[in-house]
């Protein structure tokens, strides 16, 4: 019988009511009295020297308040990078300056040359057109390998080359890995590209800066997944505003998927300009602007090799990746191809020896950073593709080969520096085989063949590291921030509760799922608990939402704070009932004395805390409010097995997804409905990456797919209903809820399943192909069959 | 600038608009009806769908002036006066057909248009009708399910919610 409240129930989402009735409060819905509008003049060439800017005509245009250029930002800090990677030789990565507005040079199509502030947006746009820009075009560096060639044009003149870092992991293992390859019975090699993507949350980014002369306080309203992180980075590194004078508000945010983690120049600009002009300044990105200014994702070029012994056991793995950083280092860019990618290369398998090399490269393209999964999809894709290829080369069943090499004992220390606490990889695979009706596949294939179509089945396993992360560990790895989360639980006199969390919901449903946890802990109705998030002025310090960390880290902080509340409430209850504190039990919203029929209700205790007439004032303070900071002891390790079934039309090369099934192990689950939704959304994006999406540049650094006319977003008719199962649950051992996180799984687990299925379909038609790069578009499939 | 008057959700409203002011912009900025969203500048995302004289329109493809005298329905007018959600809105909540909520107003207005002309759509018809509405969060599963449920069909056999 499914529960109807508390942990494990699926109450309807309370936030839906405002979203469904048009009363959400997204950043662009905010109008600050007296606001001016900014339009950014962006470079339309990929690489050029700015020889001069003539603002005369533009400044005289109607409504123009002021035009800012790089010169106005001399002495202001640049946009900081939040993660420093140390290379194979122990040297720090090359880290270029990243000015708020271009200084002397533009480095990608979209780089901000000037910012026009005017009374209306139209006036700002009109005036931007009147700015005379004298650009001296330079050769654009687009291809990563060409960027590293001897004599290549440098993106940053003051760096020694376009190489950001050359990272080896684990460097000491390299000789042993190489030796294992020498000794291998079979080696499978695969070269592939993890295609560049644009995250495309449906809400474009918005920033509104405001300044209050009377208090000297700056406020930034922004579409962010982590307002406190923006306050930290922008306040401390860019504008020099102390935290108590800077408030960052991220109200309802229309999707993030990683690209709204980062601190962007537009945020710093609006905050800076609001103070300089003493009036609010608002920027709303257009979708076209988003394509050339939101950080992109993925874009790895990889060669992976898998060594097997004569019994088909994996003996070693070696991968070589070029990772595109774009023109500047976005907030967490350096960590994505390294710590979020290399540490995942063991996957679900007990491969004893692994070596990962990553070269991060600067190019004249939009900066690249985390996109849903961030590093983990790139790891999973190459690993699961090479395993599939190995199975086909060896003539063994791809599922059997995976099962044979599964890790089955936990905790398991991988050769890539992480320790999986729990998992049941056979369990998720069993669930998958059942759900996907694997035994019926041959009949379905025959049926497709009878209609002249090729049918394929592809499977994929994934492991991810979520709940980012132990601060002391990430500090050693180069993070320039801690990665805890905090929560304040405020209990009111009448027993209602407000939780202020540093986590942020931009679709994940915190306002519904977080109260379920507290309701369960205290035994009160969920409607008595309210969640506040997204405003640094009334929430404690937080690190925000990304890396599937909200419930695992933010939820744990809330549990810890609630435990403190319960401990104090028990003291009060003990006093009220004249009993020993150790005898007090809390159940169904009432405190009772063990072994007696004495009890006081939750509301009586909370009232006593605020009306302390009969209260142990000598022992404890009045009031009932607690804060906790939770710093996780380890990552969490969700895992799963996914299967995709496709049909390929051999005449056109068109791939249709016939079925998609996902069996995940997320540990304990708070709200199954929300978890299913997260998986659905991730699969939708993964199918998008596999079949449709590609941020393509031409050799001059022009983004060819820079609008929804050219960048193929998945639509309702591109995807089927998905099968989702999370009956396999191995709880996390080191957080109080036993939860693992579910936000990215779908996007990590699905692309390899799709490509494996397409390859399987084509091979069933007699085509001897092993790989097609994503997106597996009709033209690529047709060429593979006919080329 | 000139004055434009239209009936929005049953109420006559007017405001100033330039010749180039889009209906989406007029609704959001001049009339303060921010439930209608703008997700693109190439008329492809569908976040801005409203009904003009009973027909679903992407309000970013229409000038405010073209709506002079028209009857415009937006997401704000869909629930009852007391806030009770209509059947379609309720189905979206019941079946978790939204996450961040940004595409949702357009989805609701677009789906309402479908159900008016086709009260019992198949899965394929729903998916086809949503061709002009992009959602990045839900993978469409629960949106399609919600719309079919709102039409009175039994969706319990469709995999998990
Ligand atoms: S805003 Fe109208 S279709 Fe995108
Ligand atoms: S719910 Fe976020 S875009 Fe659809």
């Amino acid at each position: 019988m499914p529960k109807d409240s508390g942990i494990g129930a699926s109450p309807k989402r309370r936030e839906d009511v405002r979203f469904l009735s048009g009363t959400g409060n997204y950043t662009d819905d905010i109008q600050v009295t007296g606001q001016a509008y900014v339009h950014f003049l962006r470079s339309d060439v990929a690489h050029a020297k700015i020889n001069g800017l003539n603002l005369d005509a533009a400044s005289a245009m109607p409504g123009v308040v002021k035009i800012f250029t790089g010169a106005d930002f001399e002495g202001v800090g640049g946009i900081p990078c939040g993660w420093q990677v140390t290379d194979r030789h122990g040297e720090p990565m090359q880290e270029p300056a990243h000015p708020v507005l271009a200084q002397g040079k533009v480095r990608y199509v979209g780089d901000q040359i000037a910012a026009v502030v005017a009374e209306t947006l139209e006036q700002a746009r009109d005036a931007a057109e009147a700015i005379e820009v004298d650009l001296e075009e330079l050769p654009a560096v687009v291809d990563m390998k060409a960027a590293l060639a001897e004599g290549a044009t440098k993106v940053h003149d003051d760096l020694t080359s376009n190489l950001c870092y050359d990272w080896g992991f684990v460097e000491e293992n390299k000789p042993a890995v190489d030796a294992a390859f020498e000794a291998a019975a079979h080696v499978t090699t695969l070269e592939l590209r993890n295609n560049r993507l644009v995250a495309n949350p449906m809400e474009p980014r918005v920033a509104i800066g405001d300044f209050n002369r009377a208090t000297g306080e700056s406020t930034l309203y922004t579409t962010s997944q982590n307002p406190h992180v923006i306050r930290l980075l922008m306040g401390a590194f860019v504008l020099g505003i102390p935290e108590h004078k800077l408030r960052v508000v991220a109200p309802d945010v229309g999707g993030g998927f990683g690209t709204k983690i980062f601190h962007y120049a537009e945020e710093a600009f609006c905050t800076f300009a609001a103070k300089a002009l003493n009036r609010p300044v608002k920027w709303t990105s257009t979708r076209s602007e988003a394509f050339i200014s939101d950080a992109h994702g993925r874009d790895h070029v990889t060669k992976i090799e898998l060594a097997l012994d004569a019994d088909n056991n994996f003996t070693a793995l070696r991968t070589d990746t070029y990772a595109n950083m774009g023109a500047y280092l976005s907030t967490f860019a350096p960590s994505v191809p390294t710590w979020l990618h290399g540490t995942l290369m063991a996957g679900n398998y007990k491969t004893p020896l692994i070596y990962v090399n990553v070269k991060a490269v600067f190019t004249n393209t939009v900066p690249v950073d985390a996109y849903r999964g961030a590093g983990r999809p790139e790891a999973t894709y190459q690993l699961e593709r090479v395993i599939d290829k190995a199975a086909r080369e060896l003539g063994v069943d791809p599922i059997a080969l995976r099962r044979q090499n599964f890790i089955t004992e936990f905790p398991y220390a991988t050769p890539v520096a992480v320790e999986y606490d729990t998992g049941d990889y056979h369990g998720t695979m069993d669930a998958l085989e059942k759900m996907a009706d694997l035994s019926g596949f041959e009949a379905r294939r025959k049926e497709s063949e009878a209609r002249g179509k090729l049918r394929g089945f592809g499977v994929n396993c994934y492991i991810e590291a979520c709940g980012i992360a132990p601060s002391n560990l990430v500090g050693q790895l180069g993070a320039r921030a801690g990665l805890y989360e905090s929560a304040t639980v405020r209990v009111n006199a009448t027993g209602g509760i407000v939780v202020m969390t540093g986590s942020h919901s931009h679709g994940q449903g915190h306002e519904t799922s977080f109260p379920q946890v507290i309701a369960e802990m205290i035994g009160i109705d969920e409607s008595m608990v309210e969640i506040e998030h997204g405003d640094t002025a009334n929430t404690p310090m937080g690190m925000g939402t990304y890396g599937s960390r909200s419930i695992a880290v933010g939820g744990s902080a809330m549990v810890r704070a609630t435990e403190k509340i319960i401990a104090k409430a028990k003291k009060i209850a003990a006093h009220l009932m004249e009993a020993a504190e150790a005898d007090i039990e809390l159940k169904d919203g009432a405190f009772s004395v063990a072994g007696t029929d004495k009890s006081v209700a939750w509301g009586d205790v909370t009232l006593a805390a605020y009306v302390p007439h009969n209260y142990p004032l000598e022992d404890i303070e009045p009031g009932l409010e607690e804060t906790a900071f939770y710093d996780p002891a380890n990552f969490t390790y969700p895992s799963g097995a996914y299967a995709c079934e496709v049909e390929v039309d051999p005449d056109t090369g068109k791939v249709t997804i016939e079925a998609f099934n996902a069996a995940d192990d997320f540990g304990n689950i708070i709200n199954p409905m929300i978890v299913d939704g997260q998986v659905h959304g991730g699969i939708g994006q993964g199918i998008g990456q596999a079949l449709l999406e590609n941020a393509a540049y031409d050799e001059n650094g022009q983004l060819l797919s820079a609008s929804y006319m050219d960048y193929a977003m998945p639509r309702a008719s591109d995807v089927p209903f998905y099968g989702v199962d999370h009956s396999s649950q191995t709880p996390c051992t080191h957080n109080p809820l036993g939860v693992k996180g579910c936000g990215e799984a779908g996007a990590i687990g699905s692309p390899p399943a799709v490509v494996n299925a397409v390859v399987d379909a084509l091979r069933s038609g007699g085509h001897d192909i092993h790989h097609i790069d994503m997106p597996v578009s009709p033209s690529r499939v047709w060429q593979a069959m006919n080329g | 600038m000139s004055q434009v008057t239209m009936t929005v959700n049953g109420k006559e409203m007017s405001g100033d608009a330039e010749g180039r002011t889009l209906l989406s912009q007029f609704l959001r900025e001049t009339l303060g009806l921010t439930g209608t969203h703008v997700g693109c500048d190439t008329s492809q995302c569908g976040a801005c769908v409203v009904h003009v004289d009973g027909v679903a329109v992407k309000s970013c493809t229409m000038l405010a002036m073209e709506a002079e005298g028209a009857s415009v329905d937006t997401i704000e007018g869909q629930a009852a006066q007391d806030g009770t959600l209509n059947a379609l809105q309720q189905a979206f909540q019941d079946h978790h057909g939204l996450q961040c909520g940004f595409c949702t107003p357009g989805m609701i207005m677009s789906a309402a248009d479908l159900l008016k002309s086709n009260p019992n759509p198949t899965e394929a018809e729903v998916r086809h009708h949503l061709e002009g509405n992009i959602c990045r969060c839900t993978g469409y599963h629960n949106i399609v399910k919600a719309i079919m449920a709102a039409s009175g069909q039994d969706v319990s056999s469709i995999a998990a919610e």
Side-chain angles (χ1 to χ4, degrees), chain A residues 461-534:
Chain A
C461 297
Y462 76 89
I463 173 95
E464 56 168 329
C466 296
I468 293 172
S471 292
N472 53 5
L473 175 68
V474 295
Q476 285 166 30
L477 305 183
R480 289 165 168 161
L483 285 172
Y484 49 81
E485 196 50 78
S486 73
T488 295
V489 175
R490 176 178 297 160
V491 184
N492 297 310
T494 51
I497 296 175
V498 182
V499 179
M500 287 148 278
T501 171
S503 255
H504 188 278
S505 174
H506 26 281
Q508 296 89 340
H510 294 28
E511 290 166 41
T512 301
S513 57
F514 278 36
Q516 291 178 246
V517 174
I518 296 210
E520 175 97 17
M521 289 176 76
I522 302 177
I524 53 175
D525 199 80
E526 280 148 19
S527 64
M528 288 177 70
V529 187
E530 218 49 62
I531 304 297
E532 268 188 28
H533 65 90

Side-chain angles (χ1 to χ4, degrees), chain A residues 202 204 286-288 708, chain B residues 38-47 60:
Chain A
M202 291 318 297
T286 62
R287 181 60 57 186
S288 302
Y708 288 153
Chain B
V38 174
C40 73
D41 47 6
T42 52
S43 302
Q44 273 152 330
C45 75
C60 72

Side-chain angles (χ1 to χ4, degrees), chain B residues 30-68:
Chain B
T30 310
L31 302 184
L33 294 169
T34 53
T36 297
H37 293 159
V38 174
C40 73
D41 47 6
T42 52
S43 302
Q44 273 152 330
C45 75
C48 64
V49 172
V50 299
H51 296 175
V52 177
D53 292 331
V55 178
V57 168
K58 288 181 170 171
S59 61
C60 72
T61 60
M62 189 168 177
L63 297 170
M65 283 177 175
E66 294 177 284
E68 169 70 37

Side-chain angles (χ1 to χ4, degrees), chain A residues 13 26 200-203 253-255 257 506-507, chain B residues 97-104 107 134-140 143:
Chain A
R13 295 201 328 169
Y26 299 88
N200 271 306
M202 291 318 297
E203 177 203 30
V253 172
F257 314 116
H506 26 281
Chain B
L98 63 153
Q99 291 182 24
C100 78
F102 198 80
C103 72
T104 310
M107 287 287 177
I134 306 177
C135 174
R136 192 55 150 170
C137 295
T138 62
Y140 302 102
I143 290 178

